[in-house]
Amino acid sequence: MNKIVGKEYLSDKVVKFEIEAPLIAKSRKAGHFVIVRIGKKGERVPYTIASADPQKGTITLVVQNVGKSSGKFCELNVGDYITDLVGPLGKATHIENFGTVVCAGGGVGIAPMLPIIEAMKKAGNKVIAVLAARTKELVILENEVRQFADEVIIMTDDGSYGKKGLITNGVEEVIQREKVDLCVTIGPAIMMKFVSELTKKYNIQTIASLNTIMVDGTGMCGACRVTVGGKTKFVCVDGPEFDAHQVDFDEMLMRLKAYN
Amino acid sequence: MPSKEYLQAERNQPWREALRKTMKNKERTDLPRVKMPEQPPEVRIHNFREVNLGLTPEQALAESHRCLDCVDPTCITGCPVEINIPKFIKNIERGEILEAAKTLKETNALPAVCGRVCPQERQCESQCFYVQKLKKQAVAIGYLERFAADYERESGHISIPETAPANGIKIAVAGSGPAGLAFAGDMAKMGYDVTVFEALHELGGVLRYGIPEFRLPNTIVEVEIEGLKKMGVKFVTNCIVGKTISQEDLKEMGYRGLFIGSGAGLPNFMHIPGENLIGVMSCNEYLTRVNLMQAADPESDTPIHRGKKVAVIGGGNTAMDAVRTARRLGAEKAMIVYRRSEEEMPARIEEVKHAKEEGVEFFTLHNPLRYEGDENGHVQRMLLQRMKLGEPDASGRRRPIPIEGDTLWVDVDEVIVSVGVSPNPLIPSSFAGLEVTPHGTIVVDGETMQTSVEYIFAGGDIVRGGATVILAMGDGRKAAKGMDAWLKKTL
Ligand SMILES: Cc1cc2nc3c(=O)[nH]c(=O)nc-3n(C[C@H](O)[C@H](O)[C@H](O)COP(=O)(O)OP(=O)(O)OC[C@H]3O[C@@H](n4cnc5c(N)ncnc54)[C@H](O)[C@@H]3O)c2cc1C
Ligand SMILES: Cc1cc2nc3c(=O)[nH]c(=O)nc-3n(C[C@H](O)[C@H](O)[C@H](O)COP(=O)(O)OP(=O)(O)OC[C@H]3O[C@@H](n4cnc5c(N)ncnc54)[C@H](O)[C@@H]3O)c2cc1C
Ligand code: SF4
Ligand code: SF4
Ligand code: FES
């Protein structure tokens, strides 16, 4: 049982939680995630660790209310307990000084991008964050991102904030302007697919963090499997980050609909 | 093997001598073997309750008469934890059922589990005098074991093994499957301060997430774990050794030894076209959804496909468990697809029999080649290759070979792939210096179960790469002995 010690609405449907988890706070790295279960009948659902405070012994999760389980999560308040929480899971992001890194985060994908932006900056990279959302209210964590990114480009579908357009427009603008050494993309699968297609055209190495359906998160069930470079990989143990140009996004998009 | 002298001394106890004289051996061997009462197939396919109902006291008594209390009880050699089989059976015969249960617990921490899931026909019962010399059906050792263990549990007089005075030495266990539980029990008996860390949110390993309720009810496992708690064993769920706590953390926390019983959790796939379609999944995923996550319960948030035409690929216990589960979840057509013949099936005979009674169809000597889906990517049909048996391979089983050009399409809406598991690489990859085989199993000393890292011992499926509950427990016990000896030497 892990206690919720902080709750903040980043938008109508996006909640930031601070949760007591001292062991995880100490051992987690950028890119890691946890599996959460709410209630005795709850399912096991993955969320990326957006940040952690080892001194306080807490981790931060940013949860977008998209359905049943995330909805139950968002109803919890400070002082409530999370029935089960396990982690850190997955492989940590490979961080080094690549040069110029474009971090393309869409929607709730901005949250898991935050620790990567921070780590990439600290490793000496020039970090350009491209944040995209449908509309102004859904652009989350802008201030936090600004603390670490050298530049922040905001794109909204409806033009209500930043520039009007898709995330790919923002990324392409940077690519045409300067040399990009690495692109990291996190967001809805369809968005990552298009970012990947774009950077492939320009031959820019790209990492995507995949958000497949999971059960155990430890490599035991294979629910999370995807095809990468023609081989079956388990996102929870082999990922969640993969070479985006090798990922079969169409298969992944299909598999995400397994229980809809 | 327990020493001959010890077995002899026990056998020479006056009560046993007296008991042997109450009946002629001829009378004993003329008795028929009991039949396990079962839920009728047409009833049980609509529920998840246990299929085997357990012997009645009268049946248990009748069966106990069959055991000849042999001078040389060969049955014991067939039991990986060397239960004193005649002693426990004779205790049933004289009506001392709680004593029988105690005898079981001398060497087996989970008798109610083993009585249910051991492949007895290949272990203890295969070595019974009846089979070896009389060519008759073995004494029903497993049924009797279950009877005594259930009797004890239901009586409420569960004996908690005595523990030596606490020695304050902290020992960690990774994994709460049978290997970890057996290890923890033996170490606690010796006075160690044992903590079991489990990655999942429930305890028991495969006993919990793999083997279904209708073969092994969760309450049985829970009661056994309660027993360990009473002996002072501590349990921490949601904690992955190597991830949540590292090698260094364990040292910092003061643990002097670690036992790894992390199982063989990685499901194998066949890597054939269409295997990633929706509705195709590993047996682990299917059984975990149903057993661990209770997906069949309408109140549970975890979803499950309820296929009408379900194919399970494989012929092991896991495959039988999955296909019988599918039947209970409403499959009208539930199929086993296995590339060899029924004779080569690794599943327990009882499971195959039960599956057939429940209307499961067997496509033996068939192997899937590909799956095809509908426009939404949901599996729709599978192409099967007919096979025949060729020469025996390295394992001694006849090798299945395809019959060229002989294929058929079968409609399916769910496919469960049950073609074995590999060791989970999680622990080996996070512990520096831990030697593993090319198959990913951890290398240990066969006697002590010590790994290449001095303070780490290992056992069960992570060492064997997939075996049985009782072998995993045997490993746990050996490792406890090994670690105790090593600690005494080094501390
Ligand atoms: C590695 C990883 C990191 C993630 N990080 C975040 C994050 O930081 N913040 C965030 O908001 N979201 C994150 N997600 C996505 C999040 O897990 C899903 O949004 C969430 O599971 C949806 O559940 P739901 O019941 O609310 O949605 P619904 O739309 O109601 O889901 C319908 C059904 O689909 C299944 N399902 C869909 N996605 C998943 C999943 N990922 N795991 C298990 N079952 C699933 C469930 O069975 C569910 O019942 C992450 C996913 C992954 C794999
Ligand atoms: C469906 C099915 C049916 C079976 N039927 C039978 C049968 O009828 N008879 C029989 O004898 N055998 C049967 N078996 C085989 C038997 O269950 C296994 O051989 C046995 O459970 C192995 O025990 P174990 O303790 O090594 O591992 P497991 O039972 O696999 O337990 C390992 C535990 O360790 C946990 N773990 C893994 N990594 C970590 C970590 N890093 N930190 C903490 N915890 C961790 C896992 O979550 C798991 O709970 C069956 C297996 C399956 C899957
Ligand atoms: S533990 Fe298993 S092998 Fe040993 S006697 Fe019992 S049923 Fe037989
Ligand atoms: S071999 Fe068979 S008859 Fe002999 S003691 Fe063992 S169970 Fe009894
Ligand atoms: S979630 Fe089960 S293997 Fe990845």
Side-chain angles (χ1 to χ4, degrees):
Chain A
M1 299 281 269
N2 303 67
K3 192 171 171 182
I4 297 177
V5 293
K7 178 179 183 179
E8 185 190 330
Y9 279 89
L10 298 182
S11 81
D12 228 15
K13 291 265 180 195
V14 181
V15 181
K16 182 167 107 176
F17 285 107
E18 195 181 351
I19 300 160
E20 275 178 2
L23 291 172
I24 302 173
K26 192 172 142 216
S27 52
R28 74 98 208 188
K29 294 199 175 69
H32 279 147
F33 66 94
V34 292
I35 293 241
V36 168
R37 197 169 75 109
I38 311 288
K40 286 289 166 207
K41 307 266 180 184
E43 64 181 334
R44 295 171 65 98
V45 175
Y47 296 100
T48 310
I49 305 171
S51 63
D53 185 336
Q55 264 77 47
K56 247 173 110 185
T58 59
I59 59 170
T60 300
L61 304 182
V62 176
V63 181
Q64 182 173 28
N65 183 348
V66 294
K68 189 163 54 179
S69 296
S70 52
K72 275 191 186 172
F73 198 164
C74 291
E75 280 169 21
L76 296 183
N77 289 307
V78 172
D80 288 343
Y81 284 84
I82 292 178
T83 317
D84 293 292
L85 187 143
V86 63
L89 298 164
K91 289 199 173 126
T93 310
H94 175 70
I95 303 286
E96 63 172 65
N97 191 343
F98 293 94
T100 300
V101 179
V102 169
C103 292
V108 78
I110 300 170
M113 191 64 97
L114 183 62
I116 298 174
I117 293 174
E118 179 182 349
M120 286 293 183
K121 184 64 203 167
K122 287 185 174 155
N125 290 285
K126 174 179 178 192
V127 179
I128 302 167
V130 182
L131 311 182
R134 271 202 324 278
T135 183
K136 181 168 192 263
E137 285 70 51
L138 299 176
V139 178
I140 58 168
L141 299 172
E142 186 191 337
N143 290 336
E144 285 83 348
V145 169
R146 283 196 189 280
Q147 276 177 33
F148 303 107
D150 294 275
E151 184 187 346
V152 179
I153 297 170
I154 291 171
M155 309 292 300
T156 48
D157 291 5
D158 60 4
S160 56
Y161 190 49
K163 291 182 189 159
K164 183 171 157 64
L166 299 173
I167 195 157
T168 39
N169 303 130
V171 175
E172 192 157 24
E173 182 194 311
V174 180
I175 295 173
Q176 281 172 350
R177 183 182 78 192
E178 63 188 288
K179 180 171 173 291
V180 174
D181 299 289
L182 179 77
C183 175
V184 183
T185 180
I186 311 182
I190 187 75
M191 180 209 100
M192 292 191 283
K193 175 184 160 160
F194 286 121
V195 170
S196 171
E197 280 174 5
L198 173 77
T199 57
K200 198 169 185 174
K201 214 168 66 188
Y202 289 97
N203 219 353
I204 294 168
Q205 188 194 341
T206 300
I207 303 294
S209 178
L210 307 185
N211 49 356
T212 52
I213 292 178
M214 293 190 174
V215 183
D216 62 301
T218 64
M220 186 260 277
C221 74
C224 61
R225 64 196 190 277
V226 287
T227 303
V228 181
K231 292 212 171 67
T232 296
K233 297 279 179 190
F234 290 4
V235 171
C236 67
V237 284
D238 301 321
E241 292 169 12
F242 294 95
D243 175 352
H245 298 159
Q246 303 289 322
V247 173
D248 183 342
F249 281 106
D250 292 330
E251 181 188 89
M252 179 181 157
L253 281 161
M254 173 193 91
R255 285 183 60 79
L256 277 171
K257 297 200 199 94
Y259 294 102
N260 282 356
Chain B
M1 188 71 190
S3 77
K4 277 228 154 57
E5 294 72 42
Y6 160 78
L7 287 176
Q8 213 54 54
E10 292 260 355
R11 187 173 182 271
N12 290 341
Q13 298 252 344
W15 69 267
R16 279 187 54 188
E17 282 189 19
L19 210 52
R20 282 196 293 276
K21 290 194 187 123
T22 57
M23 250 173 125
K24 291 209 178 62
N25 274 358
K26 177 78 174 72
E27 285 173 67
R28 294 185 188 272
T29 57
D30 279 347
L31 293 169
R33 178 176 155 124
V34 280
K35 287 216 163 47
M36 174 61 84
E38 297 172 348
Q39 276 197 68
E42 62 281 8
V43 176
R44 70 189 193 229
I45 57 164
H46 300 294
N47 68 55
F48 274 89
R49 291 193 303 273
E50 236 188 323
V51 169
N52 286 348
L53 302 172
L55 301 183
T56 63
E58 297 73 32
Q59 283 181 306
L61 181 64
E63 187 63 21
S64 72
H65 288 318
R66 290 181 76 222
C67 171
L68 301 171
D69 201 2
C70 301
V71 187
D72 177 17
T74 44
C75 51
I76 298 179
T77 61
C79 172
V81 293
E82 298 166 340
I83 287 179
N84 190 340
I85 293 169
K87 180 180 170 191
F88 102 79
I89 296 183
K90 289 301 118 177
N91 265 312
I92 295 178
E93 188 176 354
R94 71 162 167 161
E96 295 287 347
I97 322 279
L98 292 176
E99 273 303 308
K102 238 188 196 158
T103 307
L104 293 168
K105 286 200 175 159
E106 283 170 17
T107 56
N108 184 345
L110 312 170
V113 173
C114 295
R116 286 175 166 80
V117 306
C118 261
Q120 290 108 9
E121 68 273 10
R122 289 195 199 134
Q123 297 180 347
C124 50
E125 293 183 13
S126 74
Q127 301 303 317
C128 173
F129 184 76
Y130 277 77
V131 175
Q132 294 290 325
K133 293 284 158 28
L134 305 178
K135 306 289 165 229
K136 287 191 178 185
Q137 282 189 299
V139 172
I141 301 169
Y143 293 171
L144 290 172
E145 180 167 345
R146 169 182 167 167
F147 172 78
D150 284 359
Y151 180 94
E152 185 197 40
R153 189 182 59 254
E154 283 154 19
S155 75
H157 299 288
I158 299 185
S159 70
I160 303 300
E162 277 177 42
T163 51
N167 62 19
I169 301 172
K170 286 173 78 176
I171 303 296
V173 180
S176 64
L181 294 179
F183 173 86
D186 275 17
M187 289 304 271
K189 271 191 215 167
M190 292 188 270
Y192 289 96
D193 178 5
V194 187
T195 305
V196 179
F197 296 98
E198 168 56 50
L200 293 173
H201 60 267
E202 299 273 9
L203 300 168
V206 169
L207 306 181
R208 173 71 200 216
Y209 76 72
I211 305 180
E213 283 280 306
F214 56 82
R215 254 190 344 116
L216 178 63
N218 285 333
T219 49
I220 305 281
V221 182
E222 278 157 21
V223 169
E224 308 272 12
I225 288 169
E226 275 312 307
L228 288 172
K229 284 186 186 160
K230 288 195 184 119
M231 288 166 66
V233 177
K234 289 172 232 153
F235 289 92
V236 179
T237 51
N238 294 316
C239 184
I240 306 175
V241 175
K243 283 269 183 190
T244 316
I245 45 177
S246 65
Q247 196 163 4
E248 293 73 40
D249 292 335
L250 282 173
K251 285 225 165 115
E252 248 170 60
M253 292 156 98
Y255 289 99
R256 309 298 292 264
L258 167 68
F259 175 76
I260 300 177
S262 54
L266 204 69
N268 295 341
F269 285 93
M270 294 172 68
H271 306 291
I272 57 176
E275 218 174 15
N276 289 346
L277 288 165
I278 299 173
V280 183
M281 68 187 87
S282 78
C283 198
N284 275 359
E285 178 180 350
Y286 187 66
L287 291 174
T288 300
R289 284 181 184 274
V290 180
N291 299 333
L292 182 71
M293 306 310 297
Q294 309 275 300
D297 173 353
E299 308 241 299
S300 168
D301 292 343
T302 302
I304 182 99
H305 290 294
R306 289 176 184 258
K308 290 288 168 219
K309 290 168 282 185
V310 182
V312 177
I313 317 300
N317 285 324
T318 328
M320 296 305 145
D321 284 343
V323 81
R324 297 174 65 198
T325 298
R327 200 70 179 106
R328 284 160 175 76
L329 288 180
E332 283 149 16
K333 202 170 155 71
M335 300 162 263
I336 284 283
V337 177
Y338 181 56
R339 64 198 177 116
R340 304 183 199 243
S341 74
E342 195 176 317
E343 254 168 66
E344 285 85 18
M345 274 196 183
R348 295 185 56 201
I349 292 166
E350 182 178 62
E351 276 229 70
V352 176
K353 173 181 154 265
H354 280 159
K356 284 189 173 162
E357 288 168 1
E358 289 164 13
V360 172
E361 287 172 56
F362 280 67
F363 284 75
T364 49
L365 290 168
H366 283 80
N367 202 30
L369 292 177
R370 61 185 303 123
Y371 307 104
E372 283 184 4
D374 61 18
E375 64 283 1
N376 300 318
H378 201 291
V379 68
Q380 209 170 21
R381 58 182 195 152
M382 60 178 178
L383 182 64
L384 298 182
Q385 165 77 62
R386 284 211 180 84
M387 314 287 283
K388 63 180 179 202
L389 291 179
E391 295 301 310
D393 61 13
S395 72
R397 292 186 301 177
R398 292 177 64 193
R399 189 198 308 271
I401 39 183
I403 304 172
E404 223 42 65
D406 195 355
T407 59
L408 72 156
W409 283 101
V410 178
D411 286 348
V412 286
D413 57 7
E414 184 162 31
V415 174
I416 297 157
V417 183
S418 179
V419 295
V421 286
S422 302
N424 196 325
L426 217 148
I427 288 209
S429 67
S430 41
F431 280 79
L434 204 56
E435 197 188 325
V436 293
T437 66
H439 302 292
T441 51
I442 297 178
V443 177
V444 293
D445 175 302
E447 275 309 304
T448 62
M449 310 307 280
Q450 191 166 26
T451 69
S452 56
V453 179
E454 244 191 351
Y455 75 100
I456 303 180
F457 291 63
D461 283 1
I462 187 69
V463 165
R464 296 171 179 274
T468 60
V469 171
I470 192 71
L471 284 171
M473 289 180 52
D475 285 355
R477 304 202 62 214
K478 255 203 235 167
K481 228 162 116 189
M483 189 186 282
D484 176 56
W486 175 76
L487 283 166
K488 290 218 163 92
K489 213 170 57 202
T490 49
L491 290 183

